[in-house]
Amino acid sequence: MGIFDELEAQYNDIDNEYASIEFEAISKSWRKKEQKYKRKRELNDQAYFLFMFSRLEDRIRHESSQLISRKQASITSWKQRAAWDILPSGARDEMPFKKRLALLLEKGGSDYNLVVNYYTERNSIAHGGNFISPISMPSVISELKRLHWAVKA
């Protein structure tokens, strides 16, 4: 079982529990309790989204670093290697996330755009905001799992 599967199971356990309590509160017209558990579910979505996206970020950093190192070591023509030699080797954060992503996915392609959209959401939440667009965590989890394997050097 991979990290995404573990996180998905934990997320579902918590969300199902909160949803059950929220539903009970709705059916009994307990507005305060309903709002409390609605908020708990929102925060749970944000927490698991951030955690899962951080796993994708790490994968992108690792895979892009591997690609850069491989190109720097294998290209013998200095004219072709020059572009790779100016890039940072290793997984240091000297290179912006979107540039690393563009090394692994076609810039402007659907997967690239999806990751950029998730990155925008990540930044909003990480800096004290909320989701910018409505999301469905089951769909996001499924996409993050798929993207994790799609970003290979």
Side-chain angles (χ1 to χ4, degrees), residues 112-131:
Y112 177 91
N113 290 338
L114 181 58
V115 174
V116 169
N117 288 339
Y118 286 163
Y119 186 64
T120 301
E121 299 289 351
R122 170 248 185 249
N123 287 339
S124 175
I125 295 165
H127 297 284
N130 295 307
F131 285 109

Side-chain angles (χ1 to χ4, degrees), residues 53-126:
F53 189 82
S54 74
R55 301 301 76 199
L56 179 61
E57 279 183 291
D58 186 59
R59 171 79 172 198
I60 291 166
R61 189 174 299 110
H62 173 77
E63 290 294 319
S64 64
S65 294
Q66 293 289 97
L67 177 63
I68 293 166
S69 295
R70 203 168 48 249
K71 293 291 188 178
Q72 288 171 336
S74 67
I75 298 175
T76 56
S77 166
W78 75 267
K79 285 184 178 184
Q80 292 178 352
R81 192 181 65 243
W84 292 98
D85 282 346
I86 63 171
L87 298 175
S89 57
R92 297 186 309 260
D93 285 333
E94 297 170 9
M95 190 171 176
F97 176 78
K98 289 180 189 176
K99 290 191 185 225
R100 286 187 178 278
L101 181 62
L103 291 173
L104 303 171
L105 296 174
E106 180 185 357
K107 192 172 184 178
S110 60
D111 283 349
Y112 177 91
N113 290 338
L114 181 58
V115 174
V116 169
N117 288 339
Y118 286 163
Y119 186 64
T120 301
E121 299 289 351
R122 170 248 185 249
N123 287 339
S124 175
I125 295 165

